[in-house]
Amino acid sequence: MHRHIIHIHIPAFPIEVVRVSRPELKGRPVAMAPPHSERALILSTSPEARREGIFKGMPLRKAVKFCPDLTILPPNQDLAGRAFRGLTKVVTHYTPLWEPFRPGHIYLDVTGTDRLWGKAKDTASRLRREIKEYLCLLGTVGVAGNKMVSSIASRIGSSEGVLDVDHGKESSFIAPLRVSFLPGIGQVRKKILLEELNISIVQEIAALDMDSLKLIFGKQGYVIHQRALGIDPTPVHPPRIKPTIAEEITLSQDENHDEKLLGTLYELVEKCSHQVLGKALFPHKAGLVFRYTDHKEIMRQINLPHMNFWNFDLYTPLERTFLRTCQRRIRVQFMKVWFQDFSPPPSQLSLFPAQSFTSKKKVLAFRTLNHIRERYGYEAIKYGRTA
């Protein structure tokens, strides 16, 4: 059975999401960059801005000089996250095999769904209409027998917004395209191909022998040759859903005082610990996310050294990670803590328990606090460092 892969492509997704609520920005050159930073780089650009020569990674100061009419938007991750969740909700109605590539880009495997939704191209057209109707987002959709060709088809686009590449026509479809369309051909390799071999289109890569390809791409030579022929066996990987316990907070006032930030961190860990204790599970992994005022986000993941669900044991490794990571002289506006990879307590008791007398006292105090909160509410009692 031939595969049918659909790729949804919404260019400049975070900008298009903002344009839904601010229609006056439509048709204008728009870029997204962190505010209040002289050395900020462009994070995303609208098609109108790209036509003016503005590109992702360009210094903000240079972009404003280059295009005085450029509208700068601050990143709004919460809004973009809600929009992407709405997009995935529409997608999951058609197939359980869907893979989020990045915000605004989703692969769908609709192989064998002809009796439900009709031909793959008709499914793609219907899907595009639903996204436009429910989310007011307009994008292009590519349909092909594999992920790579469907992605390229969505980037080229068409007047109808859907481009279907027939089975067996993948090689002839990508042959006249620029080599930069192939995954794995970056700016450096593109320059080498053009300057040393005078190669600029995909067809010329497909015509090279394997020895020449290995000289240029090394071990990736065979893979690049397969891609140049329109072959991509990569399956669509559905997102893995891991049980997660998380707490987050947007600070009422941006803060850079370590003592106050660590108090907030302890409060988040304490709330997570309360949930973990209720499930009687031991977390093996923990993560920390915090966002600065200039919207730069830092994320760290650690393996927990001991199996425990008491907050005084869970907090210490996260505190070390935070102090080691948060080194910038910029205020923090958002923090998040999460725990994953849970396992039940061991059924076999240890003959020589390693818990000290001090730890036993801490556990007893923690259980007492938990009992008070269950009776009078969680906010009935607090630790001094979180007050």
Side-chain angles (χ1 to χ4, degrees), residues 91-127:
V91 164
T92 52
H93 180 65
Y94 288 89
T95 175
L97 286 178
W98 60 276
E99 177 184 347
F101 180 56
R102 59 176 182 266
H105 296 258
I106 298 181
Y107 292 103
L108 293 85
D109 191 338
V110 293
T111 306
T113 62
D114 294 7
R115 296 181 65 179
L116 283 173
W117 312 114
K119 294 183 178 179
K121 184 176 181 180
D122 297 334
T123 304
S125 299
R126 181 177 175 180
L127 184 60

PDB file of all heavy atoms in Angstrom, residues 91-127:
ATOM      1  N   VAL A  91      -6.330  18.417  13.820  1.00  0.00           N
ATOM      2  CA  VAL A  91      -5.585  17.370  13.123  1.00  0.00           C
ATOM      3  C   VAL A  91      -5.958  15.986  13.633  1.00  0.00           C
ATOM      4  O   VAL A  91      -6.136  15.041  12.843  1.00  0.00           O
ATOM      5  CB  VAL A  91      -4.071  17.629  13.282  1.00  0.00           C
ATOM      6  CG1 VAL A  91      -3.269  16.387  12.928  1.00  0.00           C
ATOM      7  CG2 VAL A  91      -3.640  18.794  12.407  1.00  0.00           C
ATOM      8  N   THR A  92      -6.085  15.837  14.949  1.00  0.00           N
ATOM      9  CA  THR A  92      -6.331  14.512  15.523  1.00  0.00           C
ATOM     10  C   THR A  92      -7.689  13.939  15.122  1.00  0.00           C
ATOM     11  O   THR A  92      -7.917  12.739  15.308  1.00  0.00           O
ATOM     12  CB  THR A  92      -6.260  14.575  17.064  1.00  0.00           C
ATOM     13  OG1 THR A  92      -7.120  15.627  17.541  1.00  0.00           O
ATOM     14  CG2 THR A  92      -4.843  14.858  17.527  1.00  0.00           C
ATOM     15  N   HIS A  93      -8.552  14.755  14.563  1.00  0.00           N
ATOM     16  CA  HIS A  93      -9.853  14.255  14.099  1.00  0.00           C
ATOM     17  C   HIS A  93      -9.681  13.362  12.877  1.00  0.00           C
ATOM     18  O   HIS A  93     -10.544  12.510  12.612  1.00  0.00           O
ATOM     19  CB  HIS A  93     -10.760  15.443  13.770  1.00  0.00           C
ATOM     20  CG  HIS A  93     -12.124  15.057  13.282  1.00  0.00           C
ATOM     21  ND1 HIS A  93     -13.041  14.400  14.061  1.00  0.00           N
ATOM     22  CD2 HIS A  93     -12.720  15.240  12.069  1.00  0.00           C
ATOM     23  CE1 HIS A  93     -14.150  14.188  13.355  1.00  0.00           C
ATOM     24  NE2 HIS A  93     -13.981  14.686  12.151  1.00  0.00           N
ATOM     25  N   TYR A  94      -8.585  13.511  12.142  1.00  0.00           N
ATOM     26  CA  TYR A  94      -8.407  12.800  10.875  1.00  0.00           C
ATOM     27  C   TYR A  94      -7.560  11.541  11.003  1.00  0.00           C
ATOM     28  O   TYR A  94      -7.766  10.583  10.257  1.00  0.00           O
ATOM     29  CB  TYR A  94      -7.774  13.731   9.838  1.00  0.00           C
ATOM     30  CG  TYR A  94      -8.723  14.793   9.347  1.00  0.00           C
ATOM     31  CD1 TYR A  94      -8.826  16.010   9.996  1.00  0.00           C
ATOM     32  CD2 TYR A  94      -9.534  14.579   8.235  1.00  0.00           C
ATOM     33  CE1 TYR A  94      -9.711  16.988   9.559  1.00  0.00           C
ATOM     34  CE2 TYR A  94     -10.420  15.533   7.782  1.00  0.00           C
ATOM     35  CZ  TYR A  94     -10.502  16.739   8.459  1.00  0.00           C
ATOM     36  OH  TYR A  94     -11.381  17.708   8.028  1.00  0.00           O
ATOM     37  N   THR A  95      -6.574  11.541  11.893  1.00  0.00           N
ATOM     38  CA  THR A  95      -5.696  10.378  12.024  1.00  0.00           C
ATOM     39  C   THR A  95      -4.980  10.416  13.371  1.00  0.00           C
ATOM     40  O   THR A  95      -4.640  11.496  13.868  1.00  0.00           O
ATOM     41  CB  THR A  95      -4.650  10.340  10.893  1.00  0.00           C
ATOM     42  OG1 THR A  95      -3.739   9.251  11.113  1.00  0.00           O
ATOM     43  CG2 THR A  95      -3.867  11.640  10.830  1.00  0.00           C
ATOM     44  N   PRO A  96      -4.742   9.233  13.969  1.00  0.00           N
ATOM     45  CA  PRO A  96      -3.947   9.211  15.201  1.00  0.00           C
ATOM     46  C   PRO A  96      -2.450   9.311  14.937  1.00  0.00           C
ATOM     47  O   PRO A  96      -1.664   9.547  15.855  1.00  0.00           O
ATOM     48  CB  PRO A  96      -4.306   7.849  15.812  1.00  0.00           C
ATOM     49  CG  PRO A  96      -4.664   6.995  14.641  1.00  0.00           C
ATOM     50  CD  PRO A  96      -5.304   7.914  13.634  1.00  0.00           C
ATOM     51  N   LEU A  97      -2.055   9.133  13.657  1.00  0.00           N
ATOM     52  CA  LEU A  97      -0.637   9.203  13.292  1.00  0.00           C
ATOM     53  C   LEU A  97      -0.309  10.611  12.802  1.00  0.00           C
ATOM     54  O   LEU A  97      -0.400  10.908  11.609  1.00  0.00           O
ATOM     55  CB  LEU A  97      -0.311   8.172  12.200  1.00  0.00           C
ATOM     56  CG  LEU A  97      -0.246   6.706  12.641  1.00  0.00           C
ATOM     57  CD1 LEU A  97       0.025   5.809  11.453  1.00  0.00           C
ATOM     58  CD2 LEU A  97       0.827   6.519  13.694  1.00  0.00           C
ATOM     59  N   TRP A  98       0.049  11.475  13.733  1.00  0.00           N
ATOM     60  CA  TRP A  98       0.452  12.836  13.373  1.00  0.00           C
ATOM     61  C   TRP A  98       1.676  13.207  14.200  1.00  0.00           C
ATOM     62  O   TRP A  98       1.863  12.767  15.326  1.00  0.00           O
ATOM     63  CB  TRP A  98      -0.687  13.832  13.624  1.00  0.00           C
ATOM     64  CG  TRP A  98      -1.155  13.901  15.037  1.00  0.00           C
ATOM     65  CD1 TRP A  98      -2.063  13.076  15.648  1.00  0.00           C
ATOM     66  CD2 TRP A  98      -0.738  14.826  16.039  1.00  0.00           C
ATOM     67  NE1 TRP A  98      -2.237  13.432  16.961  1.00  0.00           N
ATOM     68  CE2 TRP A  98      -1.429  14.509  17.239  1.00  0.00           C
ATOM     69  CE3 TRP A  98       0.146  15.912  16.049  1.00  0.00           C
ATOM     70  CZ2 TRP A  98      -1.268  15.215  18.406  1.00  0.00           C
ATOM     71  CZ3 TRP A  98       0.315  16.624  17.219  1.00  0.00           C
ATOM     72  CH2 TRP A  98      -0.392  16.283  18.384  1.00  0.00           C
ATOM     73  N   GLU A  99       2.544  14.006  13.602  1.00  0.00           N
ATOM     74  CA  GLU A  99       3.816  14.361  14.229  1.00  0.00           C
ATOM     75  C   GLU A  99       4.017  15.871  14.195  1.00  0.00           C
ATOM     76  O   GLU A  99       4.108  16.453  13.106  1.00  0.00           O
ATOM     77  CB  GLU A  99       4.972  13.662  13.510  1.00  0.00           C
ATOM     78  CG  GLU A  99       6.344  14.035  14.055  1.00  0.00           C
ATOM     79  CD  GLU A  99       7.471  13.398  13.260  1.00  0.00           C
ATOM     80  OE1 GLU A  99       7.199  12.481  12.450  1.00  0.00           O
ATOM     81  OE2 GLU A  99       8.632  13.821  13.441  1.00  0.00           O
ATOM     82  N   PRO A 100       4.093  16.523  15.337  1.00  0.00           N
ATOM     83  CA  PRO A 100       4.392  17.956  15.347  1.00  0.00           C
ATOM     84  C   PRO A 100       5.880  18.170  15.096  1.00  0.00           C
ATOM     85  O   PRO A 100       6.727  17.743  15.889  1.00  0.00           O
ATOM     86  CB  PRO A 100       3.995  18.400  16.760  1.00  0.00           C
ATOM     87  CG  PRO A 100       4.121  17.166  17.592  1.00  0.00           C
ATOM     88  CD  PRO A 100       3.865  15.995  16.697  1.00  0.00           C
ATOM     89  N   PHE A 101       6.205  18.800  13.985  1.00  0.00           N
ATOM     90  CA  PHE A 101       7.607  19.039  13.636  1.00  0.00           C
ATOM     91  C   PHE A 101       8.136  20.258  14.380  1.00  0.00           C
ATOM     92  O   PHE A 101       9.159  20.218  15.039  1.00  0.00           O
ATOM     93  CB  PHE A 101       7.741  19.202  12.122  1.00  0.00           C
ATOM     94  CG  PHE A 101       9.148  19.445  11.648  1.00  0.00           C
ATOM     95  CD1 PHE A 101      10.157  18.554  11.957  1.00  0.00           C
ATOM     96  CD2 PHE A 101       9.453  20.568  10.911  1.00  0.00           C
ATOM     97  CE1 PHE A 101      11.452  18.784  11.529  1.00  0.00           C
ATOM     98  CE2 PHE A 101      10.735  20.803  10.477  1.00  0.00           C
ATOM     99  CZ  PHE A 101      11.740  19.906  10.792  1.00  0.00           C
ATOM    100  N   ARG A 102       7.430  21.367  14.249  1.00  0.00           N
ATOM    101  CA  ARG A 102       7.658  22.576  15.038  1.00  0.00           C
ATOM    102  C   ARG A 102       6.381  23.399  14.935  1.00  0.00           C
ATOM    103  O   ARG A 102       5.502  23.064  14.133  1.00  0.00           O
ATOM    104  CB  ARG A 102       8.886  23.354  14.542  1.00  0.00           C
ATOM    105  CG  ARG A 102       8.857  23.823  13.097  1.00  0.00           C
ATOM    106  CD  ARG A 102      10.104  24.648  12.797  1.00  0.00           C
ATOM    107  NE  ARG A 102      10.109  25.161  11.435  1.00  0.00           N
ATOM    108  CZ  ARG A 102      10.683  24.573  10.414  1.00  0.00           C
ATOM    109  NH1 ARG A 102      11.329  23.439  10.606  1.00  0.00           N
ATOM    110  NH2 ARG A 102      10.641  25.099   9.206  1.00  0.00           N
ATOM    111  N   PRO A 103       6.210  24.454  15.744  1.00  0.00           N
ATOM    112  CA  PRO A 103       4.960  25.214  15.696  1.00  0.00           C
ATOM    113  C   PRO A 103       4.602  25.661  14.287  1.00  0.00           C
ATOM    114  O   PRO A 103       5.389  26.304  13.597  1.00  0.00           O
ATOM    115  CB  PRO A 103       5.253  26.419  16.602  1.00  0.00           C
ATOM    116  CG  PRO A 103       6.242  25.896  17.576  1.00  0.00           C
ATOM    117  CD  PRO A 103       7.111  24.937  16.808  1.00  0.00           C
ATOM    118  N   GLY A 104       3.400  25.286  13.850  1.00  0.00           N
ATOM    119  CA  GLY A 104       2.962  25.630  12.499  1.00  0.00           C
ATOM    120  C   GLY A 104       3.305  24.587  11.460  1.00  0.00           C
ATOM    121  O   GLY A 104       2.984  24.765  10.284  1.00  0.00           O
ATOM    122  N   HIS A 105       3.943  23.489  11.857  1.00  0.00           N
ATOM    123  CA  HIS A 105       4.328  22.421  10.928  1.00  0.00           C
ATOM    124  C   HIS A 105       3.918  21.084  11.527  1.00  0.00           C
ATOM    125  O   HIS A 105       4.389  20.713  12.601  1.00  0.00           O
ATOM    126  CB  HIS A 105       5.837  22.426  10.684  1.00  0.00           C
ATOM    127  CG  HIS A 105       6.345  23.652  10.014  1.00  0.00           C
ATOM    128  ND1 HIS A 105       6.673  23.698   8.672  1.00  0.00           N
ATOM    129  CD2 HIS A 105       6.571  24.901  10.495  1.00  0.00           C
ATOM    130  CE1 HIS A 105       7.099  24.918   8.371  1.00  0.00           C
ATOM    131  NE2 HIS A 105       7.044  25.660   9.456  1.00  0.00           N
ATOM    132  N   ILE A 106       3.044  20.349  10.833  1.00  0.00           N
ATOM    133  CA  ILE A 106       2.576  19.057  11.331  1.00  0.00           C
ATOM    134  C   ILE A 106       2.507  18.063  10.165  1.00  0.00           C
ATOM    135  O   ILE A 106       2.024  18.396   9.075  1.00  0.00           O
ATOM    136  CB  ILE A 106       1.183  19.168  11.982  1.00  0.00           C
ATOM    137  CG1 ILE A 106       1.231  20.089  13.196  1.00  0.00           C
ATOM    138  CG2 ILE A 106       0.663  17.801  12.399  1.00  0.00           C
ATOM    139  CD1 ILE A 106      -0.097  20.247  13.907  1.00  0.00           C
ATOM    140  N   TYR A 107       3.010  16.846  10.404  1.00  0.00           N
ATOM    141  CA  TYR A 107       2.882  15.746   9.444  1.00  0.00           C
ATOM    142  C   TYR A 107       1.701  14.874   9.843  1.00  0.00           C
ATOM    143  O   TYR A 107       1.481  14.613  11.034  1.00  0.00           O
ATOM    144  CB  TYR A 107       4.143  14.884   9.425  1.00  0.00           C
ATOM    145  CG  TYR A 107       5.371  15.562   8.861  1.00  0.00           C
ATOM    146  CD1 TYR A 107       6.366  16.032   9.703  1.00  0.00           C
ATOM    147  CD2 TYR A 107       5.544  15.710   7.485  1.00  0.00           C
ATOM    148  CE1 TYR A 107       7.505  16.641   9.197  1.00  0.00           C
ATOM    149  CE2 TYR A 107       6.667  16.321   6.975  1.00  0.00           C
ATOM    150  CZ  TYR A 107       7.655  16.783   7.829  1.00  0.00           C
ATOM    151  OH  TYR A 107       8.773  17.395   7.330  1.00  0.00           O
ATOM    152  N   LEU A 108       0.961  14.389   8.846  1.00  0.00           N
ATOM    153  CA  LEU A 108      -0.138  13.450   9.081  1.00  0.00           C
ATOM    154  C   LEU A 108       0.027  12.262   8.142  1.00  0.00           C
ATOM    155  O   LEU A 108       0.277  12.441   6.942  1.00  0.00           O
ATOM    156  CB  LEU A 108      -1.501  14.085   8.810  1.00  0.00           C
ATOM    157  CG  LEU A 108      -2.022  15.198   9.700  1.00  0.00           C
ATOM    158  CD1 LEU A 108      -1.490  16.547   9.256  1.00  0.00           C
ATOM    159  CD2 LEU A 108      -3.536  15.224   9.660  1.00  0.00           C
ATOM    160  N   ASP A 109      -0.113  11.062   8.671  1.00  0.00           N
ATOM    161  CA  ASP A 109      -0.126   9.855   7.860  1.00  0.00           C
ATOM    162  C   ASP A 109      -1.579   9.413   7.702  1.00  0.00           C
ATOM    163  O   ASP A 109      -2.186   8.931   8.655  1.00  0.00           O
ATOM    164  CB  ASP A 109       0.706   8.759   8.524  1.00  0.00           C
ATOM    165  CG  ASP A 109       0.939   7.562   7.596  1.00  0.00           C
ATOM    166  OD1 ASP A 109       0.147   7.392   6.644  1.00  0.00           O
ATOM    167  OD2 ASP A 109       1.899   6.811   7.829  1.00  0.00           O
ATOM    168  N   VAL A 110      -2.132   9.618   6.507  1.00  0.00           N
ATOM    169  CA  VAL A 110      -3.538   9.275   6.256  1.00  0.00           C
ATOM    170  C   VAL A 110      -3.647   8.039   5.374  1.00  0.00           C
ATOM    171  O   VAL A 110      -4.652   7.833   4.686  1.00  0.00           O
ATOM    172  CB  VAL A 110      -4.290  10.469   5.604  1.00  0.00           C
ATOM    173  CG1 VAL A 110      -4.397  11.626   6.576  1.00  0.00           C
ATOM    174  CG2 VAL A 110      -3.602  10.916   4.319  1.00  0.00           C
ATOM    175  N   THR A 111      -2.618   7.196   5.408  1.00  0.00           N
ATOM    176  CA  THR A 111      -2.645   5.955   4.631  1.00  0.00           C
ATOM    177  C   THR A 111      -3.795   5.066   5.092  1.00  0.00           C
ATOM    178  O   THR A 111      -3.980   4.835   6.290  1.00  0.00           O
ATOM    179  CB  THR A 111      -1.310   5.197   4.816  1.00  0.00           C
ATOM    180  OG1 THR A 111      -0.222   6.065   4.487  1.00  0.00           O
ATOM    181  CG2 THR A 111      -1.263   3.967   3.929  1.00  0.00           C
ATOM    182  N   GLY A 112      -4.581   4.583   4.144  1.00  0.00           N
ATOM    183  CA  GLY A 112      -5.684   3.678   4.450  1.00  0.00           C
ATOM    184  C   GLY A 112      -6.947   4.346   4.944  1.00  0.00           C
ATOM    185  O   GLY A 112      -7.851   3.664   5.436  1.00  0.00           O
ATOM    186  N   THR A 113      -7.046   5.670   4.825  1.00  0.00           N
ATOM    187  CA  THR A 113      -8.250   6.375   5.296  1.00  0.00           C
ATOM    188  C   THR A 113      -9.150   6.813   4.137  1.00  0.00           C
ATOM    189  O   THR A 113     -10.007   7.673   4.316  1.00  0.00           O
ATOM    190  CB  THR A 113      -7.856   7.613   6.129  1.00  0.00           C
ATOM    191  OG1 THR A 113      -7.114   8.524   5.297  1.00  0.00           O
ATOM    192  CG2 THR A 113      -7.011   7.230   7.326  1.00  0.00           C
ATOM    193  N   ASP A 114      -8.952   6.218   2.960  1.00  0.00           N
ATOM    194  CA  ASP A 114      -9.731   6.628   1.786  1.00  0.00           C
ATOM    195  C   ASP A 114     -11.236   6.452   1.997  1.00  0.00           C
ATOM    196  O   ASP A 114     -12.028   7.307   1.578  1.00  0.00           O
ATOM    197  CB  ASP A 114      -9.298   5.816   0.553  1.00  0.00           C
ATOM    198  CG  ASP A 114      -7.866   6.126   0.135  1.00  0.00           C
ATOM    199  OD1 ASP A 114      -7.194   6.864   0.881  1.00  0.00           O
ATOM    200  OD2 ASP A 114      -7.431   5.627  -0.916  1.00  0.00           O
ATOM    201  N   ARG A 115     -11.637   5.369   2.659  1.00  0.00           N
ATOM    202  CA  ARG A 115     -13.064   5.121   2.848  1.00  0.00           C
ATOM    203  C   ARG A 115     -13.671   6.095   3.853  1.00  0.00           C
ATOM    204  O   ARG A 115     -14.882   6.310   3.861  1.00  0.00           O
ATOM    205  CB  ARG A 115     -13.278   3.678   3.307  1.00  0.00           C
ATOM    206  CG  ARG A 115     -12.848   2.639   2.260  1.00  0.00           C
ATOM    207  CD  ARG A 115     -13.100   1.237   2.728  1.00  0.00           C
ATOM    208  NE  ARG A 115     -14.530   0.963   2.884  1.00  0.00           N
ATOM    209  CZ  ARG A 115     -15.033  -0.213   3.270  1.00  0.00           C
ATOM    210  NH1 ARG A 115     -14.208  -1.215   3.550  1.00  0.00           N
ATOM    211  NH2 ARG A 115     -16.331  -0.377   3.392  1.00  0.00           N
ATOM    212  N   LEU A 116     -12.837   6.672   4.707  1.00  0.00           N
ATOM    213  CA  LEU A 116     -13.333   7.641   5.683  1.00  0.00           C
ATOM    214  C   LEU A 116     -13.383   9.055   5.110  1.00  0.00           C
ATOM    215  O   LEU A 116     -14.395   9.752   5.221  1.00  0.00           O
ATOM    216  CB  LEU A 116     -12.441   7.637   6.925  1.00  0.00           C
ATOM    217  CG  LEU A 116     -12.615   6.492   7.914  1.00  0.00           C
ATOM    218  CD1 LEU A 116     -11.534   6.562   8.986  1.00  0.00           C
ATOM    219  CD2 LEU A 116     -13.996   6.553   8.545  1.00  0.00           C
ATOM    220  N   TRP A 117     -12.271   9.479   4.508  1.00  0.00           N
ATOM    221  CA  TRP A 117     -12.145  10.879   4.100  1.00  0.00           C
ATOM    222  C   TRP A 117     -11.958  11.083   2.603  1.00  0.00           C
ATOM    223  O   TRP A 117     -11.850  12.219   2.151  1.00  0.00           O
ATOM    224  CB  TRP A 117     -10.950  11.526   4.826  1.00  0.00           C
ATOM    225  CG  TRP A 117     -10.898  11.272   6.294  1.00  0.00           C
ATOM    226  CD1 TRP A 117      -9.975  10.571   6.983  1.00  0.00           C
ATOM    227  CD2 TRP A 117     -11.841  11.729   7.265  1.00  0.00           C
ATOM    228  NE1 TRP A 117     -10.265  10.546   8.316  1.00  0.00           N
ATOM    229  CE2 TRP A 117     -11.414  11.256   8.527  1.00  0.00           C
ATOM    230  CE3 TRP A 117     -13.019  12.495   7.198  1.00  0.00           C
ATOM    231  CZ2 TRP A 117     -12.105  11.526   9.700  1.00  0.00           C
ATOM    232  CZ3 TRP A 117     -13.707  12.752   8.373  1.00  0.00           C
ATOM    233  CH2 TRP A 117     -13.254  12.273   9.599  1.00  0.00           C
ATOM    234  N   GLY A 118     -11.888  10.003   1.827  1.00  0.00           N
ATOM    235  CA  GLY A 118     -11.656  10.160   0.392  1.00  0.00           C
ATOM    236  C   GLY A 118     -10.166  10.205   0.078  1.00  0.00           C
ATOM    237  O   GLY A 118      -9.331   9.780   0.881  1.00  0.00           O
ATOM    238  N   LYS A 119      -9.830  10.713  -1.092  1.00  0.00           N
ATOM    239  CA  LYS A 119      -8.431  10.781  -1.508  1.00  0.00           C
ATOM    240  C   LYS A 119      -7.645  11.728  -0.597  1.00  0.00           C
ATOM    241  O   LYS A 119      -8.204  12.633   0.024  1.00  0.00           O
ATOM    242  CB  LYS A 119      -8.334  11.239  -2.951  1.00  0.00           C
ATOM    243  CG  LYS A 119      -8.926  10.251  -3.957  1.00  0.00           C
ATOM    244  CD  LYS A 119      -8.738  10.732  -5.378  1.00  0.00           C
ATOM    245  CE  LYS A 119      -9.295   9.720  -6.381  1.00  0.00           C
ATOM    246  NZ  LYS A 119      -9.135  10.206  -7.776  1.00  0.00           N
ATOM    247  N   ALA A 120      -6.336  11.516  -0.549  1.00  0.00           N
ATOM    248  CA  ALA A 120      -5.479  12.305   0.342  1.00  0.00           C
ATOM    249  C   ALA A 120      -5.536  13.785   0.004  1.00  0.00           C
ATOM    250  O   ALA A 120      -5.539  14.639   0.901  1.00  0.00           O
ATOM    251  CB  ALA A 120      -4.039  11.796   0.257  1.00  0.00           C
ATOM    252  N   LYS A 121      -5.598  14.118  -1.287  1.00  0.00           N
ATOM    253  CA  LYS A 121      -5.661  15.536  -1.680  1.00  0.00           C
ATOM    254  C   LYS A 121      -6.965  16.174  -1.196  1.00  0.00           C
ATOM    255  O   LYS A 121      -6.969  17.327  -0.735  1.00  0.00           O
ATOM    256  CB  LYS A 121      -5.534  15.681  -3.187  1.00  0.00           C
ATOM    257  CG  LYS A 121      -5.487  17.130  -3.652  1.00  0.00           C
ATOM    258  CD  LYS A 121      -5.266  17.248  -5.137  1.00  0.00           C
ATOM    259  CE  LYS A 121      -5.202  18.721  -5.558  1.00  0.00           C
ATOM    260  NZ  LYS A 121      -4.991  18.856  -7.021  1.00  0.00           N
ATOM    261  N   ASP A 122      -8.080  15.420  -1.291  1.00  0.00           N
ATOM    262  CA  ASP A 122      -9.362  15.945  -0.797  1.00  0.00           C
ATOM    263  C   ASP A 122      -9.316  16.130   0.720  1.00  0.00           C
ATOM    264  O   ASP A 122      -9.865  17.106   1.252  1.00  0.00           O
ATOM    265  CB  ASP A 122     -10.498  14.992  -1.180  1.00  0.00           C
ATOM    266  CG  ASP A 122     -10.657  14.861  -2.684  1.00  0.00           C
ATOM    267  OD1 ASP A 122     -10.275  15.808  -3.395  1.00  0.00           O
ATOM    268  OD2 ASP A 122     -11.132  13.811  -3.145  1.00  0.00           O
ATOM    269  N   THR A 123      -8.667  15.187   1.419  1.00  0.00           N
ATOM    270  CA  THR A 123      -8.510  15.319   2.874  1.00  0.00           C
ATOM    271  C   THR A 123      -7.709  16.561   3.217  1.00  0.00           C
ATOM    272  O   THR A 123      -8.037  17.301   4.154  1.00  0.00           O
ATOM    273  CB  THR A 123      -7.812  14.068   3.440  1.00  0.00           C
ATOM    274  OG1 THR A 123      -8.554  12.901   3.074  1.00  0.00           O
ATOM    275  CG2 THR A 123      -7.706  14.146   4.947  1.00  0.00           C
ATOM    276  N   ALA A 124      -6.634  16.792   2.451  1.00  0.00           N
ATOM    277  CA  ALA A 124      -5.787  17.965   2.694  1.00  0.00           C
ATOM    278  C   ALA A 124      -6.569  19.261   2.471  1.00  0.00           C
ATOM    279  O   ALA A 124      -6.442  20.212   3.253  1.00  0.00           O
ATOM    280  CB  ALA A 124      -4.563  17.921   1.790  1.00  0.00           C
ATOM    281  N   SER A 125      -7.383  19.314   1.420  1.00  0.00           N
ATOM    282  CA  SER A 125      -8.180  20.514   1.149  1.00  0.00           C
ATOM    283  C   SER A 125      -9.194  20.762   2.258  1.00  0.00           C
ATOM    284  O   SER A 125      -9.380  21.899   2.711  1.00  0.00           O
ATOM    285  CB  SER A 125      -8.909  20.362  -0.190  1.00  0.00           C
ATOM    286  OG  SER A 125      -8.001  20.209  -1.253  1.00  0.00           O
ATOM    287  N   ARG A 126      -9.831  19.691   2.710  1.00  0.00           N
ATOM    288  CA  ARG A 126     -10.816  19.825   3.788  1.00  0.00           C
ATOM    289  C   ARG A 126     -10.142  20.274   5.085  1.00  0.00           C
ATOM    290  O   ARG A 126     -10.661  21.126   5.810  1.00  0.00           O
ATOM    291  CB  ARG A 126     -11.517  18.490   3.993  1.00  0.00           C
ATOM    292  CG  ARG A 126     -12.580  18.500   5.073  1.00  0.00           C
ATOM    293  CD  ARG A 126     -13.266  17.156   5.147  1.00  0.00           C
ATOM    294  NE  ARG A 126     -14.208  17.100   6.263  1.00  0.00           N
ATOM    295  CZ  ARG A 126     -14.949  16.043   6.556  1.00  0.00           C
ATOM    296  NH1 ARG A 126     -14.870  14.957   5.811  1.00  0.00           N
ATOM    297  NH2 ARG A 126     -15.774  16.069   7.579  1.00  0.00           N
ATOM    298  N   LEU A 127      -8.981  19.708   5.365  1.00  0.00           N
ATOM    299  CA  LEU A 127      -8.231  20.065   6.565  1.00  0.00           C
ATOM    300  C   LEU A 127      -7.824  21.530   6.532  1.00  0.00           C
ATOM    301  O   LEU A 127      -7.933  22.250   7.536  1.00  0.00           O
ATOM    302  CB  LEU A 127      -6.999  19.170   6.674  1.00  0.00           C
ATOM    303  CG  LEU A 127      -6.112  19.307   7.905  1.00  0.00           C
ATOM    304  CD1 LEU A 127      -6.893  19.010   9.167  1.00  0.00           C
ATOM    305  CD2 LEU A 127      -4.920  18.359   7.794  1.00  0.00           C
TER     306      LEU A 127
END
